Amino acid sequence: MGDKMRANSLSVFWSKCSALAPLLLAIFLAGLQPTNGNAVEPVSPNDVSILFPLPKGDLTGSIAIVDLKDSSGKRLISDELFEQFINVAESDDSQVLDPAGPPTHIVFPPTTKDLKAWLIAGIRLDLGAPGLSPDVQAKFGQIPQIRLIVQPVTRDANGKIEVHDRAAHFIFSFVEGISGRQENCNIPIAKRVEPDLVHFKTVFKDFVELRDDLAAGKLGSPIDTKGLLKVHPGLSGPDQKLVRDRLRTILEENLNANQITALAVMGLPRAAPEPWIFMAMRRNPGSGTIQAVPSPALDGSAKAQLLGFLGAGHVLPLPRSDNQSEITTCFRMPDTRAGVSTAELLNSTPTEQRTAEVTGIVADPAKSHFFNTDCVSCHTETRLLLKQKPGTVISGVDVSVLPSSRWNVRNFGWGAEGGSFRATITRRTAAETAEVVNEANRLLGR
């Protein structure tokens, strides 16, 4: 696919809102002020990035996505949508050519092709994709989103719970309509969209009220959500079923199937512990069909990227990152880009200083985002830093959820750790969450 065609496809995939978004968001958050005149308590990371505990026993604290319905009774994730997702994930689009071996692509075990097996591992609120820094906003605008991170969980013949090392993102966007504005770019791209901030205010307020009710003991014992990002405190205690039910109500009252604009998948080949394959998808407006999209941080045509440790090529295809160039919506040709990726660290013996430099850039959402940085980099930066500098303090993240094994490629969810799984959060996720928290509290006057 040519550079211009790729830019057009990706701009439709990641719809962008107008330059009025920061002002509209300020008005939106001002509406959260209570009528009694008291200031809203500042939001905390655990209020906007909600990590579920690792499933155990009777799955009391879990939400199955097959059970989620909108206010009209229609399921948020239909069988048809899920079947499309599986088909695209297992198609030739996810195939990666390995010079040292046969081509490989994503394969789902039969038990994971049942929608009933997929549980919510995390919920993330985002005030504006693809980022909230001034430079990113100036080029891309903002679009509010809620992302559901889901993973398959099944039981074996003995009833033992098995978490599978596969994951999907279902991205719900709050869009009001098509904007008349065109991006100022010499590459023809699609029109922007306007954010539906009235709707997003409602869901944001519901999450704030959940925080307040937890603190007041209205869902069991009082729970404080302040502090480092970790498994949500309300979901890790004895009253987790009440909190789970409240979260389910919030999602069902505020989301509908038509809001799904994008998806992503991380999967494995058949009967193999690796390599991991990452791929993004878009949902076509109108038809509702799903298709894989080329990654803007690869060679211009590749849709999937592979990470492995057992073969010669650890990252395929090699990234063409652009996270050290001026941020722009005009996608540069691969050979004119300037950027870093963790492929450099995985394919060499880097110094401690170089590891810190590369992972620091990748983990910074003001510099790196979907349009200029590859998936593998964002899913490996924390583990590579901790491998080079054990004991490094990762700001904003509780040590109990940091990845420690090279087999753990999860950013926010349940990652593989030496034959078992662990609730996992990376530095990159914490930095994105901090952007949301800082923007929300800035506009709230905190």
Side-chain angles (χ1 to χ4, degrees), residues 105-108 165-166 266-270 272-277:
H105 65 88
I106 293 173
V107 176
F108 286 95
D165 195 14
R166 288 161 172 83
M266 189 288 298
L268 296 162
R270 186 188 307 275
E274 67 146 69
W276 301 269
I277 298 173

Side-chain angles (χ1 to χ4, degrees), residues 227-231 382 386 390-404 408 417 422-426:
L228 299 176
L229 199 56
K230 57 184 177 181
V231 172
T382 300
L386 293 175
T392 300
V393 175
I394 303 299
S395 178
V397 184
D398 190 285
V399 67
S400 66
V401 293
L402 289 172
S404 63
N408 188 346
E417 291 273 355
R422 171 194 288 182
T424 301
I425 302 175
T426 62

Side-chain angles (χ1 to χ4, degrees), residues 237-253:
D239 303 309
Q240 60 180 193
K241 184 180 184 301
L242 295 175
V243 181
R244 178 205 65 183
D245 291 346
R246 179 70 169 273
L247 285 168
R248 176 176 170 175
T249 298
I250 292 173
L251 295 176
E252 292 188 326
E253 289 182 348

Side-chain angles (χ1 to χ4, degrees), residues 46-373:
N46 290 305
D47 300 325
V48 298
S49 290
I50 297 173
L51 180 62
F52 283 66
L54 196 68
K56 295 180 181 179
D58 62 358
L59 305 180
T60 300
S62 303
I63 299 176
I65 59 171
V66 72
D67 294 333
L68 291 176
K69 298 178 181 179
D70 64 21
S71 57
S72 70
K74 182 179 179 181
R75 281 187 13 216
L76 292 183
I77 311 295
S78 67
D79 290 332
E80 294 77 15
L81 179 70
F82 183 70
E83 183 179 1
Q84 280 192 66
F85 165 76
I86 294 291
N87 290 340
V88 173
E90 291 190 321
S91 72
D92 288 343
D93 286 331
S94 75
Q95 181 172 278
V96 179
L97 299 178
D98 185 349
T104 185
H105 65 88
I106 293 173
V107 176
F108 286 95
T111 55
T112 67
K113 292 185 179 182
D114 186 344
L115 182 60
K116 295 177 182 177
W118 291 72
L119 305 180
I120 295 179
I123 302 171
R124 295 187 60 190
L125 280 70
D126 190 350
L127 289 179
L132 287 166
S133 70
D135 286 345
V136 174
Q137 287 185 47
K139 297 298 183 181
F140 290 95
Q142 293 175 288
I143 184 165
Q145 295 177 337
I146 289 181
R147 302 171 195 159
L148 300 184
I149 299 93
V150 299
Q151 292 182 234
V153 178
T154 60
R155 293 184 186 271
D156 63 18
N158 298 317
K160 182 180 178 181
I161 287 179
E162 179 182 3
V163 178
H164 295 262
D165 195 14
R166 288 161 172 83
H169 285 205
F170 291 94
I171 300 172
F172 295 77
S173 296
F174 290 75
V175 175
E176 188 172 78
I178 301 298
S179 169
R181 297 185 67 250
Q182 289 281 358
E183 188 69 12
N184 182 21
C185 182
N186 60 2
I187 296 177
I189 64 174
K191 291 182 178 180
R192 293 170 177 260
V193 300
E194 300 290 355
D196 183 357
L197 293 172
V198 173
H199 189 180
F200 192 73
K201 179 180 72 173
T202 300
V203 64
F204 195 92
K205 186 175 182 179
D206 284 348
F207 279 95
V208 171
E209 289 179 351
L210 168 61
R211 183 273 315 270
D212 293 342
D213 287 349
L214 285 170
K218 295 182 179 180
L219 295 173
S221 301
I223 293 174
D224 187 354
T225 59
K226 299 185 183 70
L228 299 176
L229 199 56
K230 57 184 177 181
V231 172
H232 191 273
L235 291 168
S236 57
D239 303 309
Q240 60 180 193
K241 184 180 184 301
L242 295 175
V243 181
R244 178 205 65 183
D245 291 346
R246 179 70 169 273
L247 285 168
R248 176 176 170 175
T249 298
I250 292 173
L251 295 176
E252 292 188 326
E253 289 182 348
N254 291 283
L255 301 181
N256 66 74
N258 294 330
Q259 289 176 273
I260 299 175
T261 58
L263 307 91
V265 63
M266 189 288 298
L268 296 162
R270 186 188 307 275
E274 67 146 69
W276 301 269
I277 298 173
F278 302 83
M279 188 171 70
M281 308 175 193
R282 61 163 287 187
R283 190 173 182 223
N284 296 307
S287 68
T289 57
I290 297 171
Q291 69 181 81
V293 296
S295 168
L298 298 179
D299 62 7
S301 61
K303 298 173 183 176
Q305 188 181 30
L306 174 152
L307 167 66
F309 299 110
L310 301 180
H314 293 313
V315 182
L316 296 171
L318 287 174
R320 305 291 182 86
S321 301
D322 202 24
N323 46 28
Q324 290 185 296
S325 298
E326 178 186 0
I327 291 177
T328 177
T329 57
C330 303
F331 303 109
R332 300 178 181 86
M333 296 298 291
D335 58 357
T336 65
R337 300 173 188 171
V340 299
S341 71
T342 61
E344 170 191 335
L345 309 179
L346 289 161
N347 292 329
S348 66
T349 306
T351 64
E352 182 177 300
Q353 179 179 352
R354 184 57 179 167
T355 299
E357 290 173 351
V358 171
T359 59
I361 292 171
V362 170
D364 185 352
K367 298 176 181 178
S368 302
H369 51 75
F370 173 80
F371 292 105
N372 65 16
T373 305

